Amino acid sequence: MSKLNPQEIMGTIKGKFLKKEIPNIQIGDSVKIGVKIIEGERERIQFYEGTVIAKKNSSINTTITVRKVLQGIGVERIFLIHSPKVDSISILRSSKIRRAKLYYLRNLRGKASRLKQKFN
């Protein structure tokens, strides 16, 4: 029996849980994410719609931070995109940006927080 190094073992285990059908999400995209929510014995899908302001890539632990403004209050949520709780991800529109992180949107209000749309 050959001895496997720990990184190869972890790579094979992680490979089983990676999702195959994930769109190419970029910073500045407006996305709609379906999240599975369990209420008692029922399971339903709740959609969260907002702008991607940050992305952290590390194989199975890839996360995106999505921001939306709800009744004048900014709400941010971090999603593990390979999580079984994330049911679907769809890109609604893309934006022209020149930054890796859009944290400056936290300080902007109203029309100032809009991003220019990118037409593919």
Side-chain angles (χ1 to χ4, degrees):
M1 184 156 97
S2 65
K3 187 173 182 180
L4 296 173
N5 65 4
Q7 287 151 348
E8 289 177 3
I9 295 170
M10 288 299 290
T12 57
I13 293 171
K14 286 181 183 179
K16 295 176 187 175
F17 296 103
L18 288 174
K19 291 184 180 176
K20 306 292 187 254
E21 297 85 26
I22 292 182
N24 186 15
I25 302 168
Q26 301 295 323
I27 309 298
D29 288 352
S30 293
V31 294
K32 187 174 185 180
I33 301 175
V35 183
K36 291 181 185 174
I37 293 184
I38 299 171
E39 295 174 336
E41 297 174 6
R42 294 186 326 128
E43 183 177 291
R44 66 182 183 91
I45 296 174
Q46 182 176 18
F47 289 99
Y48 189 90
E49 191 172 326
T51 304
V52 177
I53 63 167
K55 183 177 180 182
K56 189 175 1 173
N57 292 313
S58 63
S59 73
I60 197 162
N61 295 323
T62 302
T63 61
I64 56 172
T65 304
V66 180
R67 177 179 176 82
K68 71 175 179 179
V69 177
L70 190 64
Q71 296 177 356
I73 299 172
V75 179
E76 291 181 9
R77 191 163 171 191
I78 299 172
F79 293 99
L80 270 166
I81 62 173
H82 293 289
S83 170
K85 291 217 179 251
V86 174
D87 184 59
S88 64
I89 300 174
S90 61
I91 298 174
L92 304 178
R93 67 177 230 158
S94 297
S95 301
K96 279 188 203 174
I97 55 142
R98 298 176 70 173
R99 302 279 182 273
K101 308 280 192 242
L102 301 181
Y103 295 141
Y104 68 91
L105 291 177
R106 293 172 177 165
N107 300 324
L108 301 178
R109 303 282 178 259
K111 286 187 177 181
S113 66
R114 292 183 299 175
L115 299 171
K116 287 187 180 179
Q117 187 170 358
K118 176 172 62 174
F119 297 101
N120 296 337

